[in-house]
Amino acid sequence: MVNEQRDGRVHRTVHEAETDAPADVVYRLIADTSRWPLYLPPNVQVEQLESTGDTERLRMWATANGQVKSWTSRRVLDPVARRIEFRQEVPAAPVETVGGTWIVTELGPERSLLTLLHDFTVADDRREDVEWVERAIDTNSRAELGNLCTLAAGWARLDERVVVFEDSVHVDGPAERVYDFLHRADLWPERLPHVDRLELTEDEPGVQVMTMNTRTADGSAHTTESVRVCFPEDLRIVYKQTATPALMTAHTGCWTVRPADGGGLTVTSQHSVVLCEEAVEGALGAGVDLAQARRHVREALGRNSGATLHHAKQFAESAALSR
């Protein structure tokens, strides 16, 4: 539900949704931004810049009307009132100012109302820019509230639906060469046998949007769409799949290159997945339970990312040997 008001150049929106979950559970989901890329469909990555008491500054990346936008926000958390106020310090164009409030209202022991308020302005109050921002806020807010309410309603089994794991390899080679292999995903069809096709655009340095066709061990093909945010100074790449298989409601990951104890490098692939419990039998067969689905996802994702780690290791070490 959206109610829109205009006060001069300030535009205001209200989005609300009810869920069968305790208010404290709902509040914890919106307070913990470390899992927003996993829990909020538009959100790609959150980096905490500062945290002091109930105030924090965040750098955020999210999709908006098919584009990837980035901004810096300050949030003030009030766990007693179950309110979180936010204000973007460095908004993304065409926004001039934007802020708002998350509010969780207890309707009963197992029932809550989640409200999301926004106010914003755009330069010169251009109608086309106002409409663009309204559309982005409406689309993203509906997606965020809808998914948060679904997750909160199933909070008792949420931990069973979340799969987090990582794989690592030791590399005796230049860190920059490993990072280059992971960063140049546009070359993966030439470098990785399980990648058939990959289309990549990088309109903003360090923000990559890609569509990839991969093959699994049984020969079946899969197409995934992802947004990647690259941090070359930290030798790290984070990503979020924006189109996932039916078995998953969300999939995020991270590639890291770190010095290893005793010399060399530790290169790690980390995955976080939220399983769609209702899709398990349809995707994997009658009688397959959540535990089996967890093992399947761990093996399938680990197999492909493990292959990528192996080829990155060969790529870096071959350069070291040739020197």
Side-chain angles (χ1 to χ4, degrees):
M1 175 181 177
V2 180
N3 295 321
E4 184 181 319
Q5 301 173 333
R6 289 182 170 84
D7 179 13
R9 291 182 55 236
V10 179
H11 304 266
R12 305 179 190 277
T13 64
V14 182
H15 291 78
E16 294 181 327
E18 294 186 15
T19 182
D20 292 319
D24 287 339
V25 169
V26 180
Y27 179 81
R28 285 197 297 269
L29 289 176
I30 60 174
D32 182 10
T33 56
S34 68
R35 289 212 162 184
W36 273 22
L38 201 57
Y39 292 163
L40 274 60
N43 198 281
V44 174
Q45 177 63 7
V46 179
E47 300 276 315
Q48 189 179 73
L49 305 177
E50 298 175 18
S51 180
T52 306
D54 292 329
T55 301
E56 61 181 355
R57 292 181 66 243
L58 306 168
R59 177 79 187 277
M60 309 180 75
W61 288 260
T63 57
N65 295 336
Q67 301 177 25
V68 181
K69 296 289 186 177
S70 176
W71 61 86
T72 302
S73 281
R74 181 177 296 275
R75 301 205 316 166
V76 179
L77 292 79
D78 185 343
V80 176
R82 302 190 190 97
R83 294 172 61 98
I84 300 174
E85 296 182 358
F86 58 91
R87 181 67 50 184
Q88 290 188 13
E89 295 181 332
V90 184
V95 174
E96 189 177 58
T97 65
V98 65
T101 309
W102 294 90
I103 305 168
V104 183
T105 304
E106 184 176 5
L107 301 180
E110 299 289 334
R111 188 73 177 167
S112 303
L113 172 67
L114 179 55
T115 303
L116 178 54
L117 309 177
H118 280 94
D119 63 79
F120 71 91
T121 64
V122 300
D124 300 322
D125 207 30
R126 288 186 293 267
R127 181 174 180 81
E128 61 271 23
D129 289 342
V130 171
E131 292 176 348
W132 191 96
V133 176
E134 287 176 342
R135 186 166 68 254
I137 288 177
D138 185 49
T139 301
N140 286 8
S141 297
R142 289 176 183 272
E144 289 168 353
L145 266 64
N147 209 54
L148 284 169
C149 288
T150 299
L151 291 171
W155 66 276
R157 291 176 60 82
L158 183 56
D159 287 346
E160 297 178 60
R161 294 176 53 206
V162 175
V163 184
V164 179
F165 68 92
E166 63 180 38
D167 295 302
S168 299
V169 295
H170 182 85
V171 176
D172 290 312
E176 295 76 13
R177 184 127 170 123
V178 177
Y179 181 82
D180 178 72
F181 186 96
L182 300 172
H183 177 260
R184 290 300 305 274
D186 57 312
L187 299 179
W188 282 3
E190 305 167 21
R191 294 174 168 176
L192 296 174
H194 65 275
V195 178
D196 290 332
R197 181 183 68 90
L198 194 147
E199 297 178 2
L200 184 147
T201 58
E202 190 169 349
D203 296 333
E204 177 185 343
V207 179
Q208 301 176 337
V209 178
M210 68 186 206
T211 302
M212 180 170 63
N213 289 357
T214 59
R215 280 177 288 106
T216 58
D218 62 6
S220 58
H222 297 274
T223 299
T224 57
E225 298 176 6
S226 303
V227 176
R228 308 204 313 170
V229 182
C230 306
F231 301 91
E233 69 285 352
D234 196 31
L235 299 177
R236 178 170 57 103
I237 299 172
V238 300
Y239 63 87
K240 176 172 183 169
Q241 282 192 359
T242 51
T244 57
L247 187 58
M248 310 174 194
T249 62
H251 176 202
T252 65
C254 182
W255 302 95
T256 56
V257 182
R258 296 285 182 265
D261 294 338
L265 306 168
T266 298
V267 185
T268 301
S269 167
Q270 184 267 331
H271 294 270
S272 298
V273 170
V274 180
L275 295 174
C276 179
E277 189 169 3
E278 296 77 10
V280 168
E281 290 196 356
L284 301 179
V288 176
D289 61 18
L290 202 53
Q292 292 170 300
R294 291 173 61 90
R295 290 194 294 272
H296 171 84
V297 166
R298 200 270 180 255
E299 292 169 2
L301 293 179
R303 187 182 302 115
N304 279 356
S305 61
T308 303
L309 289 172
H310 173 72
H311 283 84
K313 172 182 172 72
Q314 287 186 325
F315 183 78
E317 291 181 345
S318 65
L321 290 172
S322 66
R323 288 184 299 182

